[in-house]
Amino acid sequence: MAQNVSVEASVSANKVSLKEAVQLTLTVRGGKDLRTEAPQLHKIDGFDVRYAGPSTRISVVNGNYSSERSFVYNLFPTKTGRIQIPAVTVQN
């Protein structure tokens, strides 16, 4: 059965100092059979990446089932300047 699956990426801040971390959250939303594993982030030049863990949310409203899985990463800057987070592949 086909599902509508969507992926959203968000960061906790657009600017941080070298002493702070920015949190990257990858959220996968879909139907009943959401078995997404934590995406492996490739090395990001300018950041030390640490996986903080997943969270899962399931809801059933009037018989409609939906699920959401979020993966949280802490990104610690290792240099100053503008740093771009590259695209991430998510598999379900």
Side-chain angles (χ1 to χ4, degrees):
M1 182 187 316
Q3 295 182 39
N4 285 333
V5 176
S6 65
V7 178
E8 176 184 299
S10 62
V11 291
S12 59
N14 289 325
K15 292 181 182 183
V16 293
S17 72
L18 284 174
K19 296 179 183 180
E20 298 175 316
V22 64
Q23 199 169 68
L24 169 65
T25 303
L26 302 174
T27 302
V28 181
R29 292 181 181 91
K32 289 184 180 182
D33 197 22
L34 191 60
R35 293 184 228 155
T36 306
E37 295 297 321
Q40 295 297 315
L41 294 187
H42 297 287
K43 181 168 173 41
I44 301 173
D45 184 39
F47 283 117
D48 178 21
V49 179
R50 297 183 193 156
Y51 180 56
S55 69
T56 302
R57 192 181 99 191
I58 297 171
S59 80
V60 180
V61 177
N62 295 328
N64 294 320
Y65 182 100
S66 66
S67 60
E68 175 179 297
R69 201 133 186 224
S70 295
F71 304 96
V72 179
Y73 301 83
N74 291 316
L75 307 179
F76 297 88
T78 58
K79 66 180 185 180
T80 60
R82 187 179 183 98
I83 303 170
Q84 183 173 342
I85 300 169
V88 177
T89 301
V90 177
Q91 296 182 355
N92 184 32

